[in-house]
Coordinates of all heavy atoms in Angstrom, one line a residue:
Y233 N 96.2 100.0 92.1 CA 94.8 99.7 91.7 C 93.9 100.1 92.8 O 94.2 100.2 94.0 CB 94.7 98.2 91.5 CG 94.8 97.3 92.7 CD1 93.6 96.9 93.3 CD2 96.0 96.9 93.3 CE1 93.6 96.2 94.5 CE2 96.0 96.1 94.4 CZ 94.9 95.8 95.0 OH 94.9 95.0 96.1
F234 N 92.6 100.2 92.5 CA 91.6 100.4 93.5 C 90.7 99.2 93.3 O 90.2 98.9 92.2 CB 90.7 101.6 93.2 CG 91.5 102.9 93.4 CD1 92.0 103.6 92.3 CD2 91.8 103.4 94.6 CE1 92.7 104.7 92.5 CE2 92.5 104.5 94.8 CZ 93.0 105.2 93.7
N235 N 90.5 98.4 94.4 CA 89.7 97.2 94.2 C 88.2 97.6 94.2 O 87.8 98.7 94.6 CB 90.0 96.2 95.2 CG 89.5 96.5 96.6 OD1 88.8 97.5 96.8 ND2 90.0 95.7 97.6
N236 N 87.3 96.8 93.7 CA 85.9 97.1 93.5 C 85.0 96.5 94.6 O 83.8 96.6 94.4 CB 85.5 96.7 92.1 CG 85.6 95.2 91.9 OD1 85.9 94.5 92.8 ND2 85.2 94.8 90.7
N237 N 85.6 96.0 95.7 CA 84.7 95.5 96.7 C 84.4 96.4 97.8 O 83.7 96.1 98.8 CB 85.2 94.1 97.2 CG 86.5 94.3 98.0 OD1 86.9 95.4 98.4 ND2 87.1 93.2 98.4
G238 N 84.9 97.7 97.7 CA 84.5 98.7 98.7 C 85.2 98.6 100.0 O 84.9 99.3 100.9
K239 N 86.2 97.7 100.1 CA 86.9 97.5 101.4 C 88.2 98.2 101.5 O 88.5 98.7 102.6 CB 87.1 96.0 101.6 CG 85.8 95.3 101.8 CD 86.0 94.0 102.6 CE 84.6 93.4 102.8 NZ 84.5 92.7 104.0
Y240 N 89.0 98.3 100.4 CA 90.3 98.9 100.5 C 90.5 99.8 99.3 O 90.1 99.4 98.2 CB 91.4 97.9 100.7 CG 91.3 97.1 101.9 CD1 90.7 95.9 101.9 CD2 91.8 97.6 103.1 CE1 90.6 95.2 103.1 CE2 91.7 96.9 104.3 CZ 91.1 95.7 104.3 OH 91.1 95.0 105.4
V241 N 91.2 100.9 99.5 CA 91.7 101.6 98.4 C 93.2 101.6 98.5 O 93.8 102.0 99.5 CB 91.2 103.1 98.4 CG1 91.9 103.9 97.3 CG2 89.7 103.1 98.3
S242 N 93.9 101.0 97.6 CA 95.4 101.0 97.6 C 95.9 101.2 96.2 O 95.2 101.2 95.3 CB 95.9 99.6 98.2 OG 95.4 98.6 97.3
V243 N 97.2 101.5 96.2 CA 97.8 101.7 94.9 C 98.8 100.7 94.5 O 99.6 100.3 95.4 CB 98.3 103.2 94.8 CG1 99.5 103.3 95.8 CG2 98.8 103.5 93.4
N244 N 98.9 100.3 93.3 CA 99.9 99.4 92.8 C 100.5 100.0 91.6 O 99.9 99.9 90.5 CB 99.3 98.0 92.5 CG 100.3 97.0 92.1 OD1 101.5 97.3 92.1 ND2 99.9 95.9 91.7
T245 N 101.5 100.8 91.8 CA 102.1 101.6 90.7 C 103.3 100.9 90.1 O 104.2 100.5 90.8 CB 102.5 103.0 91.2 OG1 101.3 103.6 91.8 CG2 102.9 103.9 90.1
A246 N 103.3 100.7 88.8 CA 104.4 100.2 88.1 C 104.5 101.0 86.8 O 103.6 101.2 86.1 CB 104.2 98.7 87.8
T247 N 105.7 101.3 86.5 CA 106.0 102.0 85.2 C 107.3 101.6 84.6 O 108.2 101.4 85.4 CB 105.9 103.6 85.4 OG1 106.2 104.2 84.2 CG2 106.9 104.0 86.5
K248 N 107.4 101.6 83.3 CA 108.6 101.2 82.7 C 109.7 102.3 82.7 O 110.8 102.1 82.5 CB 108.3 100.9 81.2 CG 107.5 99.6 81.1 CD 107.2 99.3 79.6 CE 106.3 98.1 79.5 NZ 105.9 97.8 78.2
K249 N 109.2 103.6 83.1 CA 110.1 104.7 83.2 C 110.8 104.9 84.5 O 111.6 105.7 84.7 CB 109.4 106.0 82.8 CG 108.8 106.0 81.4 CD 108.1 107.3 81.2 CE 107.5 107.3 79.8 NZ 106.8 108.5 79.5
A250 N 110.5 104.0 85.5 CA 111.0 104.2 86.9 C 111.8 103.0 87.3 O 111.4 101.9 86.9 CB 109.8 104.5 87.8
T251 N 112.8 103.2 88.1 CA 113.6 102.1 88.6 C 113.5 102.0 90.1 O 113.7 101.0 90.7 CB 115.1 102.3 88.2 OG1 115.6 103.5 88.7 CG2 115.2 102.2 86.7
N252 N 113.2 103.1 90.8 CA 113.2 103.1 92.2 C 112.2 104.2 92.8 O 112.5 105.4 92.6 CB 114.6 103.5 92.7 CG 114.7 103.4 94.2 OD1 113.9 102.8 94.9 ND2 115.7 104.2 94.8
F253 N 111.1 103.7 93.4 CA 110.2 104.6 94.0 C 110.7 105.0 95.3 O 111.0 104.2 96.2 CB 108.8 104.0 94.1 CG 108.0 104.1 92.8 CD1 108.0 103.0 92.0 CD2 107.3 105.2 92.4 CE1 107.3 103.1 90.8 CE2 106.7 105.3 91.3 CZ 106.6 104.2 90.4
K254 N 110.8 106.3 95.6 CA 111.2 106.9 96.9 C 110.0 107.0 97.8 O 110.2 106.7 99.0 CB 111.9 108.2 96.7 CG 113.2 108.1 95.9 CD 113.8 109.5 95.6 CE 115.0 109.4 94.7 NZ 115.5 110.7 94.4
S255 N 108.9 107.4 97.2 CA 107.7 107.5 98.1 C 106.5 107.5 97.2 O 106.5 107.9 96.0 CB 107.7 108.8 98.9 OG 107.5 109.9 98.1
I256 N 105.4 106.9 97.7 CA 104.1 106.9 97.1 C 103.1 107.3 98.2 O 102.8 106.5 99.1 CB 103.7 105.6 96.5 CG1 104.8 105.1 95.5 CG2 102.4 105.6 95.8 CD1 104.6 103.7 95.0
K257 N 102.6 108.5 98.2 CA 101.7 109.0 99.2 C 100.3 109.2 98.6 O 100.2 109.7 97.5 CB 102.2 110.4 99.7 CG 101.4 111.0 100.7 CD 102.0 112.4 101.1 CE 100.9 113.3 101.8 NZ 101.4 114.6 102.0
M258 N 99.3 108.7 99.4 CA 98.0 108.8 98.9 C 97.1 109.5 99.9 O 97.3 109.3 101.1 CB 97.4 107.4 98.7 CG 95.9 107.4 98.2 SD 95.3 105.8 97.7 CE 95.4 104.9 99.2
T259 N 96.3 110.4 99.4 CA 95.4 111.2 100.3 C 93.9 111.0 99.7 O 93.7 111.0 98.5 CB 95.7 112.7 100.3 OG1 97.1 112.8 100.6 CG2 94.9 113.4 101.3
I260 N 93.0 110.8 100.6 CA 91.6 110.6 100.2 C 90.8 111.8 100.9 O 90.9 112.1 102.1 CB 91.0 109.3 100.7 CG1 91.8 108.1 100.2 CG2 89.5 109.2 100.4 CD1 91.6 107.8 98.8
Y261 N 89.9 112.4 100.1 CA 89.0 113.5 100.5 C 87.6 113.2 100.3 O 87.3 112.5 99.3 CB 89.4 114.8 99.8 CG 90.8 115.3 100.0 CD1 91.8 115.0 99.2 CD2 91.0 116.2 101.1 CE1 93.1 115.4 99.4 CE2 92.3 116.7 101.3 CZ 93.3 116.3 100.4 OH 94.6 116.7 100.6
N262 N 86.7 113.7 101.1 CA 85.3 113.6 100.8 C 84.8 114.7 99.9 O 85.6 115.6 99.5 CB 84.4 113.5 102.1 CG 84.5 114.7 102.9 OD1 84.9 115.8 102.5 ND2 84.1 114.6 104.2
R263 N 83.6 114.8 99.6 CA 83.1 115.8 98.6 C 83.1 117.2 99.2 O 83.0 118.2 98.4 CB 81.7 115.5 98.2 CG 80.6 115.6 99.3 CD 79.3 115.3 98.8 NE 78.8 114.0 99.4 CZ 77.7 113.4 99.1 NH1 76.9 113.9 98.2 NH2 77.3 112.3 99.7
W264 N 83.3 117.4 100.5 CA 83.5 118.7 101.1 C 84.9 119.1 101.3 O 85.2 120.1 101.9 CB 82.7 118.8 102.4 CG 81.3 118.5 102.2 CD1 80.3 119.4 101.8 CD2 80.6 117.3 102.4 NE1 79.1 118.7 101.7 CE2 79.2 117.4 102.1 CE3 81.0 116.0 102.9 CZ2 78.3 116.4 102.2 CZ3 80.1 115.0 103.0 CH2 78.7 115.2 102.6
G265 N 85.8 118.3 100.8 CA 87.3 118.6 100.9 C 87.9 118.2 102.2 O 89.1 118.5 102.5
E266 N 87.2 117.5 103.0 CA 87.7 117.0 104.3 C 88.7 115.8 104.1 O 88.3 114.9 103.4 CB 86.6 116.6 105.3 CG 87.0 116.2 106.6 CD 85.8 115.9 107.5 OE1 84.7 115.7 107.0 OE2 86.1 115.8 108.7
K267 N 89.9 115.9 104.6 CA 90.8 114.8 104.5 C 90.4 113.6 105.4 O 90.3 113.8 106.6 CB 92.2 115.3 104.9 CG 93.3 114.3 104.6 CD 94.7 114.7 105.1 CE 95.1 116.0 104.6 NZ 96.5 116.3 105.0
L268 N 90.2 112.5 104.7 CA 89.8 111.3 105.4 C 90.9 110.3 105.7 O 90.9 109.5 106.6 CB 88.7 110.6 104.6 CG 87.4 111.4 104.3 CD1 86.5 110.5 103.5 CD2 86.8 112.0 105.5
F269 N 91.9 110.3 104.8 CA 93.0 109.4 104.9 C 94.2 110.0 104.3 O 94.2 110.7 103.3 CB 92.7 108.1 104.2 CG 93.8 107.1 104.1 CD1 94.1 106.3 105.1 CD2 94.6 107.1 103.0 CE1 95.2 105.4 105.1 CE2 95.7 106.2 102.9 CZ 95.9 105.4 103.9
E270 N 95.4 109.7 104.9 CA 96.7 110.0 104.3 C 97.7 109.0 104.7 O 97.7 108.7 105.9 CB 97.1 111.4 104.7 CG 98.4 111.9 104.1 CD 98.7 113.3 104.5 OE1 98.8 113.6 105.7 OE2 98.8 114.1 103.5
G271 N 98.4 108.5 103.8 CA 99.4 107.4 104.2 C 100.3 107.0 103.0 O 100.1 107.5 101.9
D272 N 101.2 106.2 103.4 CA 102.1 105.6 102.4 C 101.4 104.5 101.6 O 101.1 103.5 102.1 CB 103.3 105.0 103.1 CG 104.4 104.4 102.2 OD1 104.1 104.3 101.0 OD2 105.5 104.1 102.7
A273 N 101.1 104.8 100.4 CA 100.3 103.9 99.6 C 101.0 102.6 99.2 O 100.4 101.7 98.8 CB 99.8 104.6 98.3
S274 N 102.3 102.6 99.4 CA 103.0 101.4 99.0 C 102.9 100.3 100.2 O 103.2 99.1 99.9 CB 104.5 101.7 98.8 OG 105.2 102.1 99.9
T275 N 102.5 100.7 101.3 CA 102.4 99.8 102.5 C 101.0 99.6 103.0 O 100.7 98.7 103.7 CB 103.3 100.2 103.6 OG1 103.0 101.5 104.1 CG2 104.8 100.2 103.2
N276 N 100.1 100.6 102.8 CA 98.7 100.5 103.3 C 97.8 101.2 102.4 O 98.2 102.0 101.6 CB 98.6 100.9 104.8 CG 99.0 102.4 105.0 OD1 98.9 103.2 104.0 ND2 99.3 102.8 106.2
G277 N 96.5 101.1 102.7 CA 95.5 101.7 101.9 C 94.3 102.2 102.8 O 94.3 101.9 104.0
W278 N 93.4 102.8 102.2 CA 92.2 103.3 102.9 C 91.2 102.2 103.0 O 90.9 101.5 102.1 CB 91.6 104.5 102.2 CG 90.4 105.1 102.8 CD1 90.3 105.5 104.1 CD2 89.2 105.5 102.2 NE1 89.1 106.0 104.4 CE2 88.4 106.0 103.2 CE3 88.8 105.4 100.9 CZ2 87.1 106.5 102.9 CZ3 87.5 105.8 100.6 CH2 86.7 106.4 101.6
D279 N 90.7 102.0 104.2 CA 89.7 100.9 104.5 C 88.3 101.3 104.4 O 87.4 100.5 104.7 CB 90.0 100.2 105.8 CG 89.9 101.1 107.0 OD1 89.5 102.3 106.8 OD2 90.2 100.7 108.1
G280 N 88.0 102.6 104.0 CA 86.7 103.1 103.9 C 86.1 103.6 105.2 O 84.9 103.9 105.3
Y281 N 87.0 103.7 106.2 CA 86.5 104.2 107.5 C 87.2 105.6 107.8 O 88.3 105.9 107.3 CB 86.9 103.3 108.7 CG 86.0 102.1 108.8 CD1 86.2 101.0 107.9 CD2 85.1 102.0 109.7 CE1 85.4 99.9 107.9 CE2 84.2 100.9 109.8 CZ 84.4 99.8 108.9 OH 83.6 98.8 109.0
Y282 N 86.5 106.4 108.6 CA 87.0 107.7 109.0 C 86.6 107.9 110.5 O 85.4 107.8 110.8 CB 86.5 108.8 108.2 CG 86.9 110.2 108.6 CD1 88.3 110.5 108.6 CD2 86.0 111.1 109.0 CE1 88.7 111.8 109.0 CE2 86.5 112.4 109.4 CZ 87.8 112.7 109.4 OH 88.2 113.9 109.8
K283 N 87.6 108.1 111.4 CA 87.4 108.2 112.8 C 86.6 107.0 113.4 O 85.7 107.2 114.2 CB 86.7 109.5 113.1 CG 87.6 110.7 112.8 CD 87.0 112.0 113.3 CE 87.9 113.2 113.0 NZ 87.3 114.5 113.4
G284 N 86.9 105.8 112.9 CA 86.2 104.6 113.4 C 84.9 104.3 112.8 O 84.3 103.3 113.2
L285 N 84.3 105.2 112.0 CA 83.0 105.0 111.4 C 83.1 104.7 109.9 O 83.9 105.3 109.2 CB 82.1 106.2 111.6 CG 81.9 106.6 113.1 CD1 81.1 107.9 113.1 CD2 81.1 105.5 113.8
R286 N 82.3 103.8 109.4 CA 82.3 103.5 108.0 C 81.7 104.7 107.2 O 80.7 105.2 107.6 CB 81.4 102.2 107.7 CG 81.2 101.9 106.3 CD 81.7 100.5 106.0 NE 81.4 100.1 104.7 CZ 82.3 99.9 103.8 NH1 83.6 100.0 104.2 NH2 82.0 99.6 102.6
C287 N 82.4 105.0 106.1 CA 82.0 106.1 105.3 C 80.8 105.7 104.4 O 80.6 104.5 104.1 CB 83.1 106.6 104.4 SG 84.5 107.3 105.3
M288 N 80.0 106.7 104.1 CA 78.8 106.4 103.3 C 79.3 106.1 101.8 O 80.3 106.5 101.4 CB 77.9 107.6 103.2 CG 77.3 108.0 104.5 SD 76.3 109.5 104.5 CE 75.6 109.6 102.9
S289 N 78.4 105.3 101.2 CA 78.7 105.0 99.8 C 78.7 106.3 99.0 O 77.9 107.2 99.3 CB 77.6 104.1 99.2 OG 77.7 102.8 99.7
G290 N 79.6 106.4 98.0 CA 79.7 107.6 97.2 C 81.0 107.8 96.6 O 81.9 106.9 96.8
Y291 N 81.2 108.9 96.0 CA 82.5 109.2 95.3 C 83.4 110.0 96.3 O 83.0 110.9 97.0 CB 82.3 110.1 94.1 CG 81.7 109.2 92.9 CD1 80.4 109.2 92.7 CD2 82.6 108.5 92.1 CE1 79.8 108.4 91.7 CE2 82.1 107.7 91.1 CZ 80.7 107.7 90.9 OH 80.2 106.9 89.8
Y292 N 84.7 109.6 96.2 CA 85.7 110.3 97.0 C 86.9 110.6 96.1 O 87.1 109.9 95.1 CB 86.2 109.3 98.2 CG 85.1 109.1 99.2 CD1 84.1 108.1 98.9 CD2 85.0 109.9 100.3 CE1 83.1 107.9 99.8 CE2 84.0 109.7 101.2 CZ 83.0 108.7 101.0 OH 82.0 108.5 101.9
V293 N 87.5 111.7 96.4 CA 88.7 112.2 95.6 C 90.0 111.6 96.1 O 90.2 111.6 97.4 CB 88.7 113.7 95.6 CG1 89.9 114.2 94.9 CG2 87.4 114.3 95.0
Y294 N 90.8 111.1 95.2 CA 92.1 110.7 95.7 C 93.2 111.5 95.0 O 93.0 112.0 93.9 CB 92.3 109.2 95.3 CG 92.4 108.8 93.9 CD1 93.6 109.0 93.2 CD2 91.3 108.4 93.2 CE1 93.7 108.6 91.8 CE2 91.4 108.1 91.9 CZ 92.5 108.2 91.2 OH 92.6 107.9 89.9
L295 N 94.3 111.7 95.7 CA 95.5 112.3 95.2 C 96.7 111.4 95.5 O 96.8 110.9 96.6 CB 95.8 113.7 95.8 CG 94.8 114.8 95.5 CD1 95.2 116.0 96.4 CD2 94.8 115.1 94.1
I296 N 97.5 111.0 94.5 CA 98.6 110.2 94.7 C 99.8 110.9 94.2 O 99.9 111.4 93.1 CB 98.5 108.8 93.9 CG1 97.2 108.1 94.4 CG2 99.7 108.0 94.1 CD1 96.9 106.9 93.6
Y297 N 100.8 111.1 95.2 CA 102.1 111.7 94.9 C 103.2 110.7 94.8 O 103.3 109.9 95.8 CB 102.4 112.7 96.0 CG 101.3 113.8 96.2 CD1 100.4 113.6 97.2 CD2 101.3 115.0 95.5 CE1 99.4 114.5 97.4 CE2 100.4 115.9 95.7 CZ 99.4 115.7 96.7 OH 98.4 116.6 96.9
T298 N 103.9 110.7 93.7 CA 105.0 109.7 93.6 C 106.3 110.4 93.4 O 106.4 111.5 92.7 CB 104.8 108.7 92.4 OG1 104.8 109.5 91.2 CG2 103.5 107.9 92.6
Q299 N 107.4 109.9 94.0 CA 108.7 110.4 93.8 C 109.5 109.1 93.4 O 109.4 108.1 94.1 CB 109.3 111.0 95.0 CG 108.6 112.4 95.4 CD 109.3 113.0 96.6 OE1 109.7 112.3 97.5 NE2 109.3 114.3 96.6
Y300 N 110.3 109.2 92.4 CA 111.1 108.1 91.9 C 112.3 108.5 91.1 O 112.5 109.7 90.8 CB 110.2 107.2 91.0 CG 109.6 107.9 89.8 CD1 110.3 107.8 88.6 CD2 108.5 108.6 89.8 CE1 109.9 108.4 87.4 CE2 108.0 109.3 88.7 CZ 108.7 109.2 87.5 OH 108.2 109.8 86.4
T301 N 113.1 107.5 90.8 CA 114.3 107.8 90.0 C 114.0 107.1 88.6 O 113.7 106.0 88.6 CB 115.5 107.1 90.6 OG1 115.7 107.6 91.9 CG2 116.8 107.4 89.8
D302 N 114.2 107.9 87.6 CA 114.0 107.3 86.2 C 115.2 106.5 85.8 O 116.2 106.4 86.5 CB 113.6 108.4 85.2 CG 114.7 109.4 84.9 OD1 115.9 109.1 85.2 OD2 114.5 110.4 84.2
L303 N 115.1 105.9 84.6 CA 116.1 105.1 84.1 C 117.5 105.8 83.9 O 118.5 105.1 83.8 CB 115.7 104.4 82.8 CG 114.5 103.5 82.9 CD1 114.0 103.0 81.6 CD2 114.8 102.3 83.8
N304 N 117.4 107.1 83.8 CA 118.7 107.9 83.6 C 119.3 108.4 84.9 O 120.2 109.1 84.9 CB 118.4 109.1 82.7 CG 118.0 108.7 81.3 OD1 118.6 107.7 80.7 ND2 117.1 109.3 80.7
G305 N 118.6 108.0 86.0 CA 119.1 108.4 87.4 C 118.6 109.7 87.8 O 119.1 110.3 88.8
N306 N 117.7 110.3 87.1 CA 117.1 111.6 87.4 C 115.9 111.4 88.4 O 115.1 110.6 88.3 CB 116.6 112.3 86.2 CG 117.7 112.6 85.2 OD1 118.7 113.0 85.5 ND2 117.4 112.2 83.9
S307 N 115.9 112.3 89.4 CA 114.7 112.3 90.3 C 113.5 112.9 89.7 O 113.6 114.0 89.0 CB 115.1 113.1 91.6 OG 116.0 112.5 92.3
K308 N 112.4 112.3 89.8 CA 111.1 112.7 89.1 C 110.0 112.6 90.2 O 110.1 111.9 91.2 CB 110.8 111.8 88.0 CG 111.8 111.8 86.9 CD 111.7 113.0 86.0 CE 112.7 112.9 84.8 NZ 112.5 113.9 83.9
S309 N 108.9 113.3 89.9 CA 107.7 113.2 90.7 C 106.5 113.4 89.8 O 106.6 114.0 88.7 CB 107.7 114.3 91.8 OG 107.7 115.6 91.2
N310 N 105.4 112.8 90.2 CA 104.1 112.8 89.5 C 103.0 112.9 90.5 O 103.1 112.5 91.6 CB 103.9 111.6 88.6 CG 104.7 111.6 87.4 OD1 104.9 112.6 86.7 ND2 105.2 110.4 87.0
V311 N 101.9 113.5 90.0 CA 100.7 113.6 90.8 C 99.6 113.0 90.0 O 99.4 113.4 88.8 CB 100.4 115.1 91.2 CG1 99.1 115.1 92.0 CG2 101.5 115.7 92.0
Y312 N 98.8 112.1 90.6 CA 97.7 111.5 90.0 C 96.5 111.8 90.8 O 96.5 111.9 92.0 CB 97.8 110.0 89.9 CG 99.1 109.5 89.2 CD1 100.3 109.3 89.9 CD2 99.1 109.4 87.8 CE1 101.4 108.9 89.2 CE2 100.3 109.0 87.1 CZ 101.4 108.7 87.9 OH 102.6 108.3 87.2
N313 N 95.4 112.1 90.1 CA 94.1 112.4 90.9 C 92.9 111.9 90.2 O 93.0 111.6 89.0 CB 94.0 113.9 91.2 CG 93.9 114.7 89.9 OD1 93.0 114.5 89.1 ND2 94.8 115.6 89.7
G314 N 91.9 111.7 90.9 CA 90.6 111.2 90.3 C 89.6 111.0 91.4 O 89.8 111.4 92.5
T315 N 88.6 110.2 91.1 CA 87.6 109.8 92.0 C 87.5 108.3 92.1 O 87.9 107.6 91.2 CB 86.2 110.4 91.7 OG1 85.9 109.9 90.4 CG2 86.2 111.9 91.7
V316 N 87.1 107.8 93.3 CA 86.9 106.4 93.5 C 85.5 106.3 94.1 O 85.1 107.1 94.9 CB 88.0 105.8 94.4 CG1 88.0 106.5 95.8 CG2 87.8 104.3 94.5
L317 N 84.7 105.3 93.7 CA 83.4 105.0 94.2 C 83.5 104.0 95.3 O 83.9 102.9 95.1 CB 82.5 104.6 93.1 CG 81.1 104.2 93.4 CD1 80.3 105.4 94.1 CD2 80.3 103.7 92.2
L318 N 83.1 104.4 96.5 CA 83.0 103.5 97.6 C 81.6 102.9 97.7 O 80.6 103.6 97.7 CB 83.3 104.2 98.9 CG 83.3 103.4 100.2 CD1 84.5 102.4 100.2 CD2 83.4 104.3 101.4
L319 N 81.5 101.6 97.7 CA 80.3 100.9 97.8 C 80.2 100.0 99.0 O 81.2 99.5 99.5 CB 80.1 99.9 96.5 CG 80.1 100.6 95.2 CD1 80.1 99.5 94.1 CD2 78.9 101.5 95.0
E320 N 79.0 100.0 99.6 CA 78.9 99.1 100.8 C 78.5 97.7 100.4 O 78.0 97.5 99.4 CB 77.8 99.7 101.7 CG 78.2 101.0 102.3 CD 77.2 101.5 103.3 OE1 76.7 100.7 104.1 OE2 76.9 102.7 103.3

């Protein structure tokens, strides 16, 4: 989920097709394609800061890469992308 208070961007991924997530990686980019955040989305999220400074309100692009095992024991991966609005 992305919360709407502008403080954290984190992911809470649940699916009926998966039994074991191996990794959930999230990357945040600004409108110029500069990478602002990259991390394990299952343990931490983006706090709206970059290099110690609060980012301006606006839209940011997120990419979420997941690797998991499906119910049949097959390794799978998915990529999710979109925008998130950061508000002060």
Side-chain angles (χ1 to χ4, degrees):
Y233 73 92
F234 294 102
N235 70 10
N236 62 1
N237 68 9
K239 294 202 177 218
Y240 296 96
V241 176
S242 61
V243 65
N244 182 4
T245 306
T247 177
K248 293 179 182 175
K249 296 180 181 178
T251 58
N252 182 25
F253 279 97
K254 297 175 184 174
S255 71
I256 305 173
K257 177 182 162 188
M258 181 171 61
T259 309
I260 303 288
Y261 297 91
N262 65 17
R263 66 178 114 186
W264 300 282
E266 183 177 15
K267 187 187 303 183
L268 305 180
F269 173 83
E270 184 173 57
D272 180 352
S274 64
T275 58
N276 63 19
W278 181 48
D279 62 3
Y281 283 77
Y282 178 62
K283 294 185 178 180
L285 299 173
R286 176 121 175 114
C287 293
M288 294 175 35
S289 290
Y291 285 95
Y292 293 85
V293 175
Y294 68 84
L295 294 174
I296 299 172
Y297 303 92
T298 62
Q299 292 182 325
Y300 61 93
T301 303
D302 69 12
L303 295 175
N304 296 320
N306 300 312
S307 292
K308 300 283 186 172
S309 62
N310 285 320
V311 177
Y312 303 93
N313 61 59
T315 58
V316 60
L317 177 60
L318 180 68
L319 300 173
E320 292 188 42

